[in-house]
Amino acid sequence: MYGIALVRKPGPRIAEGIVTHLRREPVDPVLAESQHDAYVAALAEAGWRPVYVPPADDLPDGPFVEDTLVVSGGLAVLTRPGAEERRPEVESVARAVRELGMKAVAIARPGTLDGGDVLQTGSTVYVGRSARTNDDGITQLAALLPERKVVPVELKGVLHLKSAVTALPDGTLIGDPRHVDLPDLLVPEEEAGSHVVPLGGDRVLMAASAPRTAAALEARGLSVTTVDISEYEKLEGCVTCMSVLVAAQDLSI
């Protein structure tokens, strides 16, 4: 087992989730639930034990659990989401990480920080300046992670940093240069190809909406698992934002 995967089931109000850069489309709550089940099953099959955060049926964006938490070296940083209506999501996540025995600290006002703006690779932590994450939030995160190099990143036309770029297991950044200016980007075949979840070893998780990118990554020697998350993509969601993976060694610190 690599560790645990914090997840939260979608509630009946998921279709009311916040949409910022896309035209709103109808979301099927029943299909969203079955897609979430398949997503969690893929994580479990890859060696990540699912741990469900308590349901939040009155919070439409609740299944996007990544935005509430940043984990680094056994430290659980509880975020302060930039969208005020999402801040109540953090309380139940805080209970979950404390039940796991992790040390928890919190971003304080006036800072705002969404976990979707935080990309960790090696000793570097890239943090997007976005409508959801401000400079104070970035400064607080840097102070909480003195052993890491925190690099602010400007964004263009996307909700979160990890809407534009993620990292492959070897540290290669894969992303869309239209939205983020970072050196040596591997440009994916589809926009959804920017969203990769390393699962351990050479395994990665991607959305089924990026088949050409998946094929390209397999040609690079990666083992790619794909899942259909179409209902979440309508809400600007991607495979990264539906879970927080906590490595086994971080649970034992």
Side-chain angles (χ1 to χ4, degrees):
M1 186 186 78
Y2 286 108
I4 64 104
L6 285 170
V7 293
R8 179 168 10 223
K9 285 183 174 293
R13 296 181 57 195
I14 185 173
E16 301 171 36
I18 303 169
V19 175
T20 305
H21 294 281
L22 299 178
R23 175 187 294 180
R24 185 174 292 279
E25 297 182 58
V27 173
D28 182 339
V30 175
L31 179 56
E33 184 173 358
S34 67
Q35 288 180 347
H36 193 273
D37 288 343
Y39 173 89
V40 174
L43 295 177
E45 191 276 332
W48 296 90
R49 179 173 64 86
V51 173
Y52 284 90
V53 176
D57 289 351
D58 56 336
L59 301 172
D61 287 297
F64 300 126
V65 68
E66 178 190 49
D67 289 326
T68 64
L69 182 65
V70 175
V71 175
S72 175
L75 181 67
V77 180
L78 302 166
T79 70
R80 185 170 182 265
E84 187 172 357
E85 59 266 49
R86 295 200 60 191
R87 291 175 192 164
E89 298 173 28
V90 177
E91 182 180 352
S92 53
V93 173
R95 292 199 305 270
V97 298
R98 289 182 178 119
E99 287 173 2
L100 290 169
M102 301 181 70
K103 179 183 178 182
V105 293
I107 299 296
R109 62 185 305 176
T112 61
L113 181 76
D114 272 21
D117 279 320
V118 180
L119 172 60
Q120 303 185 55
T121 177
S123 62
T124 301
V125 181
Y126 297 99
V127 188
R129 285 193 180 99
S130 71
R132 304 289 181 86
T133 295
N134 64 18
D135 283 338
D136 192 276
I138 296 173
T139 298
Q140 289 186 46
L141 182 66
L144 291 168
L145 306 179
E147 74 287 358
R148 311 288 295 276
K149 179 183 178 182
V150 174
V151 179
V153 180
E154 302 296 334
L155 305 180
K156 295 175 286 187
V158 287
L159 180 62
H160 288 129
L161 177 64
K162 289 169 79 172
S163 303
V165 60
T166 53
L168 301 180
D170 66 359
T172 299
L173 299 180
I174 182 168
D176 191 333
R178 296 174 302 173
H179 301 308
V180 63
D181 182 14
L182 288 169
D184 302 321
L185 273 184
L186 175 64
V187 180
E189 298 287 336
E190 303 98 342
E191 187 168 2
S194 297
H195 314 141
V196 175
V197 179
L199 295 174
D202 63 357
R203 300 185 69 170
V204 297
L205 181 69
M206 298 182 64
S209 55
R212 297 192 306 277
T213 305
L217 295 185
E218 287 178 336
R220 289 173 64 97
L222 295 177
S223 174
V224 180
T225 297
T226 60
V227 288
D228 183 359
I229 56 164
S230 62
E231 301 311 287
Y232 299 89
E233 290 171 323
K234 294 174 183 177
L235 298 167
E236 297 176 287
C238 54
V239 287
T240 61
C241 58
M242 295 167 63
S243 62
V244 176
L245 303 185
V246 184
Q249 62 264 29
D250 291 339
L251 290 169
S252 61
I253 292 176

